[in-house]
Amino acid sequence: MADHEQKAVTADASSGDMIFQPILEDGVFRFDCPPSDRDATYPSLSFINSKDRETPIMSHKAPLYTPTFECLFERQIVKIELPSGTSFYGTGEVSGQLERTGKRVFTWNTDAWGYGPGTTSLYQSHPWVIAVLPNGEALGVLADTTQRCEIDLRKESRIQFVAPSSYPVITFGPFPSPTAVLIALSHAIGSVFMPPKWSLGYQQCRWSYDSDKRVLEIARTFREKGIPCDVIWMDIDYMDGFRCFTFDKDRFPNPKSLVDDLHQNGFKAIWMLDPGIKHEEGYFVYDSGSKSDAWIQKADGSPFVGEVWPGPCVFPDFTQSKVRSWWASLVKDFTSNGVDGIWNDMNEPAVFKAVTKTMPQSNIHRGDDELGGCQNHSYYHNVYGMLMARSTYEGMKLSNENKRPFVLTRAGFIGGQRYAATWTGDNLSNWEHLHMSISMVLQLGLSGQPLSGPDIGGFAGNATPQLFGRWMGVSAMFPFCRGHSEIDTIDHEPWSFGEECEEVCRLALKRRYRLLPHIYTLFFKAHTIGTPVAMPTFFADPKDPNLRKLENSFLLGPILVYASTMPGQGLDKLDCTLPKGIWLRFDFDDSHPDLPTLYLQGGSVIPLGPPHQHVGESNPSDDLTLLVALDEHGKAEGFLFEDDGDGYEFTKGGYLLTHYVAELQSSVVTVRVSKTEGLWKRPKRRMHVQLLLGEGAMLDTWGMDGEVLQIMMPSEQEVYKLVSTSEKYYKTCLENAKRIPDIEGVSGQKGVDLSRTPIELNNGYWILKVVPWIGGRIISMMHLPSGMQWLHSRVDINGYEEYSGTEYRSAGCSEEYNVIERKLGHAGEEESIMLEGDIGGGLGLQRKIYIPKNDPKVFRIDSSIVARKVGAGSGGFSRLVCLRVHPTFGLLHPTESFVSFTSIDGSKNEVWPESGEQFYEGNLLPNGEWILVDKCLGLGLVNRFNVKEVFKCLIHWGTGTVNLELWSEDRPVSNQSPLRISHEYEVIEIPKL
Ligand code: MIG
């Protein structure tokens, strides 16, 4: 075997340094592999102009870091070694920690409902890494391929990409700062579309507001309660039987008049469009698409049909310009119903009832030449969502040249920010997801997409009041701010969680609206210059290694937002690490322990508006407030961008960009306009300057905008007094604030065991999360050395379950469990937990889960059905039961996963997803172990069990999941004869070949 491997390698391999070519601008290089080189690469779909990637420029600079390559079996492996102490960021929409060393991700757009911190492919693909070097300089690296690409950051200070050959690698820098890298990146992939100002307001969504009446009721409640909101969203149920471009006749009989009503009250309406088109003759979209030959094809040339919401569907081939125009014209007509924005969902594309959760890679796209021509699906998979968003954007633009399109897309690719905003998909209503949402929004920003946010409150599951309030508090500071929740969850509007939570939401959103002039200005800059909007804290001082892993804070321009994502622990209890320099706390007299704390960086001026209920309410003559924080030299500056808030007049000069400066000279602070740009005249308006002194203290002065304003600086002693008074006042406010009640653990009287936080078993090798109160299930199996989360589920369903019968979800699956014993792994001992649930008829399901200290590679589960109080009348025997072990593993690479084992009779088996459900018993039973293999990762999850205890094994392939089930025999149990299954899990490496 080894011999054979050796030979194969020498026959097929080439390796060495990549060759470089300067492109775009100084400091940007394209690298290719000789000799296959440039001609073999596909066009760029990330670049705004693919030709820029092909056109060398004159430059005297040589690259500082040269990637090496290796071509092996048609895969191209690229490595870049960087100095030790380098920190990694980027990689787009990825869950888990902010600093990405240790991570491995795969670009493969996936419908990732309920993803966890270890999920390696979400909805979008960004084969892009920012390396922040020890000296604070930064290097951006793009693997410019649409195909599935492994980004491996597991080794410290080394980036490795693996993807089918041949693709170029583009490096940006090192430049003096990460911001400079992002600006350079935007010259390649373009910047964010200019969002209409209303789209920066708060947006309310749910799956689904099910009738026009309900929509209007929601809208009315916002206004009645004085909670700002600009947009209401219509999820799939507005359609007639999930047919895109139609409306349900009973529930949304007159969309135009609904939208008129909404508009009158200052709301915009956004409607969903999915890519799956119902395969149904007589449905106008299907008919016209078929006529235009618009559908993606199977390998045999017939249209591919896959199941989604409407049932059997065909899928527009957005890789063809002809099809994009067809779709755009449908969008154009659709918009005449009063559509302000469009939401593209399911465009990974997601396909139901398929183990891969998407369409076959062998499907055919007849793409435009400049996109790569006719190719199979694996080539276009990752850009499908972006091309759909592009076509939708173009359709909206067609319908009205004077309005800015607004599209929200779930799937995307690097460069997609040119057409659409995005959100972080189907997250869970829990604290871990609240925490992750900060890093996810920041990483998208570091990957070229500044306009993103999470489903506030969490999509799947029910939020609690405190979780919801905190989430709103943080998200009100995110670029895109939308509340959303899954069907069948409780109400998740800002007023749905009690008075205290409602008030926190109101304060949070009012804050956002006061900051809108600032946020809008940040977007103007993001659009025109390519600067980020929300950034990790370390951007304030990239040299400081202590800031690089901070996940509870972020920058919104020069504002530092500090949030607590710990249940029960408000900001009053949180220590804030601030970057070097001056950071002055401020608020709007709204400080609250459940809201983030805000600081303004010394040296900055930001514009504020009055609080409004919606964007349309504001107008240029509103009073303007400038918040000023001087730096150590007594100086500050900042910008305000104003225009119509929509349309394109701003591209012809129809705007006003004001550069304000403040300066302290001999005890007088002068605030004035230093520069203006644009054709707009300065509106006549009052200007209020608030000079921050620290701890929330400030000096207020009023004047007219455009005129010079002066503020007398009081004596040092007086400043000190103001600051300490303000500090005291702040503390009292926090103490007296009406906290959102913490009702996490109040679901029963059983105390700790019923708390909503799963128990963690952790031996530094495996981390298991166990829900000890319902079903006793394991909801997460994280294997640290491989960085893989093999199993991941929500609290109430799936994961590792056990039943007491052969029927699906029989007793044992959702019963209440109690912890009987819990051992924490002290000094060489094992970590364990023993649980028991009452499954009726005098029976208990008992489970001991343990991870030994001395053999940390495995963890074991001993399960049994035991007789507790089996009646005498039955002779001491229970009903017939079967112990059924039912773990649901997530498949990261469904097309490359299979189950491998040797049967007792010696036969070897490889069971692939196509084989459906399979039982094994008798001599065909695995001989004590079976392995779930992920060929793509080169890893296997081994499950060892005692063949004497196992009667049957079952493999069941789901959508993106597989169950490896162990069944005991089926019999009554007594005190003397419990049913038992003991088994263990281990991860092994499988040599790649
Ligand atoms: O299969 O349209 O992520 O936001 O509410 C689920 C219904 C389809 C997934 C989206 C979610 C949306 C839901 N959609």
Side-chain angles (χ1 to χ4, degrees):
M1 167 92 164
D3 208 357
H4 165 81
E5 211 176 291
Q6 207 88 66
K7 261 189 225 135
V9 171
T10 38
D12 195 31
S14 65
S15 61
D17 282 351
M18 294 180 93
I19 48 167
F20 78 89
Q21 188 98 80
I23 58 167
L24 270 172
E25 64 197 42
D26 258 0
V28 179
F29 299 97
R30 167 184 173 149
F31 290 89
D32 290 280
C33 305
S36 55
D37 97 332
R38 307 169 59 99
D39 305 336
T41 61
Y42 295 109
S44 179
L45 276 84
S46 63
F47 273 50
I48 191 164
N49 182 357
S50 188
K51 286 214 183 70
D52 290 345
R53 204 191 68 179
E54 316 304 322
T55 316
I57 57 158
M58 288 293 293
S59 168
H60 303 297
K61 280 201 180 164
L64 213 52
Y65 299 101
T66 297
T68 58
F69 77 99
E70 202 180 328
C71 286
L72 246 186
F73 307 111
E74 288 170 23
R75 288 150 78 84
Q76 177 182 320
I77 305 166
V78 172
K79 290 193 181 92
I80 304 187
E81 303 279 349
L82 295 157
S84 124
T86 297
S87 316
F88 293 129
Y89 304 90
T91 70
E93 186 191 49
V94 181
S95 50
Q97 84 270 9
L98 175 74
E99 204 282 304
R100 311 212 68 81
T101 301
K103 271 262 175 186
R104 171 154 73 146
V105 301
F106 295 82
T107 61
W108 188 254
N109 294 359
T110 306
D111 178 354
W113 186 94
Y115 56 85
T119 309
T120 51
S121 299
L122 298 185
Y123 308 87
Q124 313 215 356
S125 293
H126 296 80
W128 159 256
V129 177
I130 296 188
V132 180
L133 306 175
N135 64 3
E137 291 183 3
L139 173 77
V141 189
L142 171 68
D144 201 17
T145 174
T146 61
Q147 309 211 44
R148 186 170 69 189
C149 177
E150 173 182 337
I151 310 169
D152 185 346
L153 303 175
R154 285 176 299 173
K155 219 175 125 203
E156 219 227 304
S157 305
R158 188 207 70 184
I159 304 172
Q160 176 175 298
F161 297 111
V162 185
S165 40
S166 300
Y167 58 92
V169 168
I170 323 291
T171 65
F172 300 77
F175 292 128
S177 68
T179 300
V181 170
L182 286 169
I183 293 172
L185 174 68
S186 78
H187 300 158
I189 65 162
S191 63
V192 65
F193 70 97
M194 184 65 196
K197 196 172 184 190
W198 58 261
S199 70
L200 301 178
Y202 177 65
Q203 328 216 3
Q204 186 62 49
C205 187
R206 95 159 270 126
W207 177 15
S208 295
Y209 291 128
D210 62 0
S211 67
D212 48 7
K213 277 175 218 69
R214 180 72 178 142
V215 170
L216 290 173
E217 184 185 331
I218 295 288
R220 205 178 320 117
T221 313
F222 272 102
R223 295 295 180 256
E224 276 166 17
K225 290 189 169 286
I227 300 173
C229 182
D230 266 272
V231 191
I232 313 269
W233 290 63
M234 264 54 71
D235 204 327
I236 40 172
D237 298 295
Y238 80 81
M239 298 177 199
D240 172 18
F242 306 118
R243 291 173 192 83
C244 288
F245 305 104
T246 69
F247 298 88
D248 185 282
K249 283 173 205 66
D250 300 323
R251 292 174 294 109
F252 289 88
N254 193 344
K256 185 85 183 62
S257 93
L258 168 63
V259 173
D260 285 346
D261 259 16
L262 287 174
H263 285 174
Q264 260 161 38
N265 292 299
F267 289 94
K268 306 284 181 194
I270 298 187
W271 307 74
M272 177 176 275
L273 288 178
D274 285 356
I277 297 301
K278 187 166 185 150
H279 182 259
E280 179 186 59
E281 267 165 44
Y283 162 40
F284 74 102
V285 182
Y286 176 75
D287 289 344
S288 85
S290 298
K291 213 150 125 216
S292 328
D293 193 14
W295 316 127
I296 297 176
Q297 298 179 336
K298 290 196 291 196
D300 69 7
S302 62
F304 166 75
V305 179
E307 176 108 2
V308 208
W309 287 105
C313 287
V314 288
F315 297 82
D317 186 358
F318 293 108
T319 67
Q320 305 176 39
S321 59
K322 172 189 93 181
V323 177
R324 288 195 301 277
S325 311
W326 164 77
W327 179 267
S329 71
L330 284 166
V331 168
K332 175 178 177 244
D333 295 346
F334 183 61
T335 331
S336 64
N337 295 299
V339 168
D340 300 299
I342 290 175
W343 177 14
N344 287 162
D345 189 23
M346 307 295 276
N347 51 352
E348 291 71 29
V351 177
F352 293 163
K353 300 187 184 165
V355 76
T356 61
K357 302 206 255 182
T358 191
M359 56 179 58
Q361 300 198 25
S362 54
N363 276 1
I364 303 293
H365 297 256
R366 291 159 286 163
D368 304 338
D369 284 343
E370 60 274 26
L371 301 184
C374 189
Q375 295 274 359
N376 68 16
H377 184 65
S378 60
Y379 175 87
Y380 282 121
H381 176 83
N382 285 337
V383 292
Y384 186 76
M386 174 171 83
L387 292 172
M388 178 185 188
R390 169 177 166 187
S391 171
T392 308
Y393 178 93
E394 284 163 358
M396 287 202 73
K397 203 145 186 196
L398 277 182
S399 76
N400 189 343
E401 281 289 332
N402 298 319
K403 266 176 113 187
R404 295 177 201 161
F406 184 83
V407 179
L408 181 77
T409 183
R410 191 169 75 173
F413 187 70
I414 187 159
Q417 76 288 337
R418 302 191 293 260
Y419 315 112
T422 199
W423 87 106
T424 58
D426 296 345
N427 57 358
L428 305 180
S429 288
N430 66 31
W431 292 88
E432 181 179 52
H433 274 261
L434 160 61
H435 182 79
M436 285 199 304
S437 68
I438 301 178
S439 296
M440 291 182 75
V441 167
L442 298 178
Q443 295 292 14
L444 277 163
L446 296 186
S447 308
Q449 171 54 282
L451 190 48
S452 82
D455 284 350
I456 299 170
F459 178 70
N462 294 328
T464 61
Q466 203 182 77
L467 177 66
F468 192 85
R470 290 279 193 81
W471 215 325
M472 188 64 83
V474 184
S475 305
M477 300 293 112
F478 284 154
F480 176 64
C481 180
R482 186 186 74 152
H484 183 41
S485 191
E486 193 172 26
I487 199 161
D488 288 333
T489 56
I490 58 171
D491 284 355
H492 278 68
E493 287 73 36
W495 52 83
S496 310
F497 293 94
E499 247 178 86
E500 296 87 354
C501 179
E502 180 180 324
E503 180 58 12
V504 164
C505 293
R506 187 179 290 109
L507 292 173
L509 292 175
K510 284 194 161 165
R511 256 185 187 184
R512 179 179 185 85
Y513 278 65
R514 292 218 59 189
L515 287 169
L516 272 182
H518 169 62
I519 299 174
Y520 191 56
T521 302
L522 290 178
F523 269 100
F524 173 69
K525 295 225 153 174
H527 172 70
T528 49
I529 312 175
T531 44
V533 173
M535 301 160 275
T537 311
F538 77 82
F539 269 53
D541 186 3
K543 283 191 194 63
D544 182 351
N546 297 319
L547 303 177
R548 292 189 183 180
K549 290 183 199 283
L550 293 182
E551 295 179 351
N552 270 91
S553 57
F554 60 95
L555 296 161
L556 191 58
I559 300 176
L560 181 68
V561 180
Y562 234 106
S564 165
T565 52
M566 286 282 281
Q569 190 185 67
L571 271 164
D572 42 336
K573 301 274 156 34
L574 198 76
D575 274 339
C576 300
T577 310
L578 299 176
K580 272 193 221 93
I582 297 175
W583 294 89
L584 303 179
R585 192 177 56 70
F586 70 95
D587 63 18
F588 303 103
D589 215 358
D590 60 354
S591 282
H592 190 288
D594 288 319
L595 285 177
T597 308
L598 309 177
Y599 299 85
L600 187 61
Q601 180 170 27
S604 28
V605 175
I606 56 163
L608 304 173
H612 285 297
Q613 303 228 344
H614 57 94
V615 168
E617 232 185 328
S618 64
N619 71 61
S621 55
D622 282 343
D623 288 348
L624 172 70
T625 303
L626 294 183
L627 207 57
V628 179
L630 298 175
D631 65 11
E632 55 271 30
H633 311 295
K635 289 190 176 162
E637 61 169 344
F639 293 89
L640 169 63
F641 172 74
E642 296 164 281
D643 72 347
D644 291 329
D646 205 340
Y648 294 94
E649 283 303 312
F650 78 98
T651 62
K652 300 173 212 135
Y655 67 95
L656 178 63
L657 179 67
T658 311
H659 185 188
Y660 293 96
V661 294
E663 195 172 358
L664 169 68
Q665 262 173 342
S666 42
S667 300
V668 178
V669 178
T670 310
V671 182
R672 61 187 174 84
V673 171
S674 83
K675 242 188 302 180
T676 56
E677 213 184 81
L679 301 173
W680 268 26
K681 277 210 350 237
R682 182 166 307 283
K684 276 220 158 18
R685 62 186 164 199
R686 294 212 303 163
M687 187 166 83
H688 177 195
V689 174
Q690 299 186 310
L691 179 69
L692 297 179
L693 301 173
E695 295 303 338
M698 50 196 168
L699 298 173
D700 291 83
T701 313
W702 289 87
M704 289 302 287
D705 183 23
E707 293 170 10
V708 176
L709 235 91
Q710 295 202 313
I711 309 169
M712 277 299 291
M713 210 45 174
S715 70
E716 241 171 74
Q717 215 175 3
E718 254 171 281
V719 169
Y720 176 81
K721 239 170 56 202
L722 285 170
V723 170
S724 60
T725 314
S726 173
E727 192 177 0
K728 269 190 224 126
Y729 174 70
Y730 173 66
K731 291 211 165 112
T732 334
C733 286
L734 288 188
E735 275 160 29
N736 296 341
K738 273 203 188 155
R739 298 292 309 261
I740 307 176
D742 183 6
I743 58 160
E744 304 298 321
V746 207
S747 46
Q749 278 76 52
K750 298 244 163 66
V752 192
D753 294 346
L754 281 175
S755 93
R756 295 248 311 167
T757 315
I759 288 185
E760 205 174 274
L761 297 180
N762 182 346
N763 69 347
Y765 212 91
W766 280 101
I767 302 180
L768 306 180
K769 289 197 180 152
V770 183
V771 176
W773 68 91
I774 164 175
R777 57 171 58 80
I778 306 174
I779 58 165
S780 167
M781 293 181 184
M782 178 80 195
H783 179 252
L784 294 173
S786 66
M788 298 312 307
Q789 199 172 16
W790 292 88
L791 177 149
H792 164 68
S793 80
R794 54 199 266 193
V795 166
D796 48 337
I797 200 169
N798 294 341
Y800 176 99
E801 302 171 312
E802 289 176 11
Y803 319 138
S804 63
T806 51
E807 331 82 77
Y808 187 46
R809 300 237 159 87
S810 40
C813 169
S814 49
E815 270 59 27
E816 207 174 295
Y817 278 68
N818 286 305
V819 177
I820 311 182
E821 196 186 76
R822 167 103 169 95
K823 281 200 198 133
L824 293 167
H826 297 307
E829 277 173 45
E830 65 190 23
E831 289 232 24
S832 72
I833 178 172
M834 173 117 108
L835 322 150
E836 187 171 316
D838 182 348
I839 55 170
L843 294 177
L845 221 162
Q846 206 178 70
R847 185 172 315 141
K848 182 174 177 191
I849 306 165
Y850 51 113
I851 26 182
K853 266 271 145 78
N854 53 4
D855 189 6
K857 290 201 174 92
V858 302
F859 76 89
R860 301 202 174 99
I861 303 171
D862 295 343
S863 299
S864 40
I865 298 184
V866 292
R868 284 289 175 235
K869 271 184 250 126
V870 178
S874 56
F877 280 96
S878 74
R879 66 180 193 268
L880 266 184
V881 281
C882 166
L883 178 60
R884 178 173 169 188
V885 173
H886 185 271
T888 304
F889 299 107
L891 298 175
L892 294 168
H893 309 102
T895 51
E896 289 176 60
S897 298
F898 61 94
V899 178
S900 154
F901 62 90
T902 306
S903 294
I904 293 177
D905 70 3
S907 57
K908 296 212 184 317
N909 297 273
E910 265 191 17
V911 187
W912 291 79
E914 303 80 63
S915 61
E917 197 166 272
Q918 297 280 343
F919 271 109
Y920 301 91
E921 52 188 312
N923 269 341
L924 299 178
L925 203 68
N927 67 1
E929 70 169 45
W930 48 352
I931 311 179
L932 172 60
V933 179
D934 183 323
K935 269 179 59 173
C936 178
L937 296 173
L939 293 173
L941 177 71
V942 188
N943 178 209
R944 286 187 205 97
F945 55 89
N946 181 347
V947 275
K948 292 205 188 90
E949 295 168 343
V950 175
F951 194 68
K952 263 189 196 177
C953 285
L954 170 64
I955 301 176
H956 170 87
W957 300 95
T959 41
T961 60
V962 65
N963 303 98
L964 265 61
E965 300 189 29
L966 308 174
W967 295 29
S968 75
E969 61 184 320
D970 212 1
R971 64 162 164 82
V973 302
S974 71
N975 281 337
Q976 278 73 43
S977 61
L979 275 176
R980 268 189 228 290
I981 293 182
S982 310
H983 64 134
E984 65 177 32
Y985 292 100
E986 179 179 348
V987 174
I988 58 166
E989 283 193 32
I990 309 260
K992 277 198 194 184
L993 233 200

